[in-house]
Structure formats: structure tokens, C-alpha cells
Amino acid sequence: MSNTQIPQNYKSLLGLYDTQKAIGLIKTIFQEKLCAALHLKRVTAPLFVLHGSGLNDDLNGVERPVRFDVPCLEEEAEVVHSLAKWKRYALAKYGFRPGQGLVCDMNAIRRDETPDNLHSIYVDQWDWERVVTEKQRTIPFLKDTVRDIVDAVCATADELRWKFPELKKVRLGREVTFITTQELEDMYPTLTPKERENEITRLHGTVCIMQIGGKLASGQVHDGRAPDYDDWTLNCDILFWHKALGCALELSSMGIRVDADALRRQLEEAGCPERAQLPFHQMLLNGQLPLTMGGGIGQSRLCMLLLGKAHVGEVQVSLWDEETRSTCEAAGVTLL
């Protein structure tokens, strides 16, 4: 059964040719602004890592990576879910110093994703990471970085509107509303986490939801987060209200990464202390990796947001079930 729903009377603001042109511009302009704002250098990143290295992002801990054998190495490899851990390893290997960082194009396959208007089994994002000091592992520093990213998004939208006047209907708010998952639960105790996100973003337009992964007062979690990359007390999601779909669009998952103490604590809380023996985790516990912060910013998500698109298939090429294709065709929505 398809999870795709096309809003009534939806019509793409740009035709197919201009959509492709605009996608190229967005990816060029935004990366330049992001690098300038966060002092990042572009690096080349892997599509796959060795199974058992501990470098793959485990997401919520239940998603299966695409795995294949590599006969010449007598090893198995996994297509990355994201580069959350690899980036930290790369910062150490390349000798980046505090205040410096990297960004890379990340392409992934998430086989267990449930496709809908916003989700696909193909994921493309800007994965970034930068070295921080112990004194910068704070909520105020996290908030300042979020504001820098939102400014880069809005500045990209401004440039795009000059080139495509049809996009003047797409308006984003630069002012960010910050709220923790516990404050959100206290505000909307009867709603589900996703309903809470939609309600707060509908009211404020641009929202940063902080402290994701740990248990709330109710005993529930707002959303799953792997225990070995973000510090659950210092992480967040950035959401924008997406007018075309009438819902919150999560553009970025990011945070200040675990130090040794946070890693031990979160592995215990998640019930997987054995992960501490993996090579990446041993490097972190032995002080061989720098303190960092970082995140992923969805490339297709950003294109959807800035172009006012109703389906992610309008800005990326993926696989869709027959019902989704039929639904989109009947609504005049062109899937790439």
C-alpha cells in the first residue's frame, strides 16, 4: 500500500527543465554558504565500509545495511547509512584542528525505509563534521551553529528566488524556535512525537528540537538515536514548515558528538555495552579521536523545501511501487 498523498490542487512551481536547473544551483550555492559559515573543507567520502569496523551509522539500531562480500579482501563490506562516525575518524587522520571541519557528499541506501512523500530508500545529504573544544560542548554553541545553518538555507532561498521568480511563494523564517523533547512532551502530552513536531513547526515555521534519544518523563523516547555518535543531551533536529505538504520537514539531524563518558553512559542505557570493543569505539575511549560536532543535511529534502515540491521523487531518482507511480501520474506529479 502506498504512503504517498498528493495535496489537492498541487501544481509544481517549476517545469521539469527548470527543476533540474534549480537542483544544480541549490547544491552549488548551499554548499558554498555552508562551508563559509562553518569553516568546512570538502573531502571525498566512502560509499561503503568494512563490516565489523564500527564505522557505519546504526541509525535507530534496527535498520539493516546493504552488505556484500569483497573476495579480494576476504571481507564483507556495508553500504553506509550515513558517515556520522567515519567523519570523526577522518578529522583525526587528516589532522584537522579546533574550528576546522569537513563536508562531503553522502549517498546511501536505506533498504528498510518506508517510502512516502518525504522518504526514499535512496538518501543523499551533505555530511559535515568539525573539531570543537571541551568548552564548546554546550547548548549555546549548539544553538549558534543551528542559526548559522538556517541562515545558509535562507540565503540560498533568497538567491534562488532571484533566478526563478515563480519561487517567491516559498518563504522561510530565519528566526529559530528552540525547544527540548521534554518541553515538547509537556506542551502536548496527548500527541505522538510526530504530531508534536508538526504542531510546534506549524506555529513557529522554523524549529530546532533538542535532546533526542534519551528517555522522557513518560518513559518513552521522542525518536531513536544511535548511542555512539550524538551526545543525547547536546543534539537536535532542524525542522521547517513545508507549506506544500502542510507538515514539518526535518532538514537536518545534528549534534555535539559523544565524549568517552557520554559513550559509556549511552551504550549502557541502550543495552549494548559490547559495542565499546569495536575499533572505532576503542579509539574514542582511548582519546585517539578529537571532540567534534556534526550532522547531515538532506540534499533532496532541501530541494523539496526550496522548490515547494510535494514528493521527494520530484527531485531525486529512486524506486517506487506501482501505486505510488499511479498516484503521482494521476496528480500530474513527475517522478524523476
Side-chain angles (χ1 to χ4, degrees):
M1 180 178 177
S2 174
N3 295 293
T4 294
Q5 295 182 349
I6 304 301
Q8 190 174 7
N9 300 321
Y10 167 75
K11 185 177 181 180
S12 176
L13 299 175
L14 298 179
L16 181 58
Y17 176 81
D18 281 343
T19 292
Q20 294 281 22
K21 182 178 179 181
I23 290 170
L25 287 171
I26 290 170
K27 293 189 176 185
T28 298
I29 295 169
F30 178 74
Q31 182 168 301
E32 290 176 353
K33 294 187 181 301
L34 181 69
C35 288
L38 302 185
H39 307 291
L40 308 176
K41 299 292 184 182
R42 186 198 174 279
V43 301
T44 301
L47 176 61
F48 38 80
V49 294
L50 286 178
H51 170 63
S53 65
L55 283 175
N56 207 352
D57 179 358
D58 293 306
L59 300 177
N60 295 321
V62 297
E63 294 88 350
R64 300 170 300 157
V66 174
R67 188 179 301 172
F68 58 96
D69 68 299
V70 186
C72 64
L73 300 179
E74 297 184 349
E75 297 270 13
E76 285 194 329
E78 297 175 351
V79 177
V80 295
H81 276 145
S82 86
L83 298 170
K85 301 189 189 81
W86 177 88
K87 293 176 297 180
R88 192 167 183 177
Y89 170 77
L91 287 172
K93 182 178 180 180
Y94 298 155
F96 280 72
R97 305 181 72 83
Q100 300 175 332
L102 57 82
V103 65
C104 46
D105 282 312
M106 191 283 295
N107 296 286
I109 300 171
R110 295 186 182 172
R111 62 193 290 181
D112 292 320
E113 191 69 78
T114 301
D116 57 22
N117 293 66
L118 295 174
H119 297 87
S120 165
I121 62 171
Y122 169 67
V123 178
D124 56 343
Q125 64 184 27
W126 291 280
D127 247 330
W128 66 273
E129 197 87 7
R130 65 173 172 174
V131 182
V132 299
T133 65
E134 182 65 41
K135 290 183 178 180
Q136 290 174 321
R137 298 187 78 254
T138 65
I139 290 293
F141 188 74
L142 177 69
K143 288 182 176 180
D144 285 343
T145 305
V146 168
R147 292 187 185 100
D148 286 340
I149 293 171
V150 169
D151 280 344
V153 170
C154 292
T156 303
D158 290 342
E159 286 200 30
L160 207 62
R161 283 194 295 271
W162 281 103
K163 299 179 185 294
F164 299 97
E166 302 93 328
L167 300 178
K168 289 183 178 180
K169 296 178 181 179
V170 179
R171 295 289 179 181
L172 305 179
R174 270 188 164 85
E175 190 67 30
V176 185
T177 296
F178 292 91
I179 190 167
T180 67
T181 52
Q182 187 58 62
E183 291 169 338
L184 200 56
E185 182 182 59
D186 294 342
M187 189 179 298
Y188 304 113
T190 63
L191 301 184
T192 66
K194 186 57 64 179
E195 289 170 341
R196 292 171 197 154
E197 289 182 357
N198 282 331
E199 187 62 20
I200 195 72
T201 311
R202 181 186 65 81
L203 290 174
H204 296 284
T206 304
V207 175
C208 176
I209 299 177
M210 302 181 294
Q211 299 180 359
I212 301 168
K215 288 186 178 180
L216 303 172
S218 64
Q220 303 298 312
V221 294
H222 180 83
D223 197 4
R225 206 73 145 220
D228 46 9
Y229 61 101
D230 282 353
D231 186 323
W232 291 342
T233 67
L234 294 168
N235 67 2
C236 65
D237 287 344
I238 302 174
L239 293 84
F240 288 87
W241 184 249
H242 188 40
K243 187 176 179 180
L245 288 176
C247 70
L249 183 148
E250 179 192 315
L251 183 65
S252 177
S253 172
M254 59 172 284
I256 294 171
R257 306 309 194 188
V258 291
D259 58 10
D261 289 340
L263 176 63
R264 292 189 188 96
R265 182 180 67 251
Q266 291 179 185
L267 288 178
E268 286 291 340
E269 186 174 337
C272 52
E274 69 281 357
R275 285 195 201 174
Q277 301 307 312
L278 293 171
F280 170 85
H281 302 67
Q282 282 292 298
M283 289 182 69
L284 198 159
L285 293 171
N286 293 331
Q288 296 172 277
L289 297 176
L291 297 174
T292 67
M293 74 179 305
I297 302 171
Q299 295 187 11
S300 292
R301 289 282 184 94
L302 182 62
C303 291
M304 278 190 73
L305 180 68
L306 300 189
L307 302 180
K309 298 291 190 179
H311 196 282
V312 66
E314 295 181 89
V315 295
Q316 67 161 234
V317 179
S318 186
L319 299 176
W320 309 103
D321 60 273
E322 182 58 39
E323 188 176 347
T324 294
R325 293 197 298 269
S326 299
T327 298
C328 290
E329 184 178 359
V333 172
T334 301
L335 299 178
L336 301 182

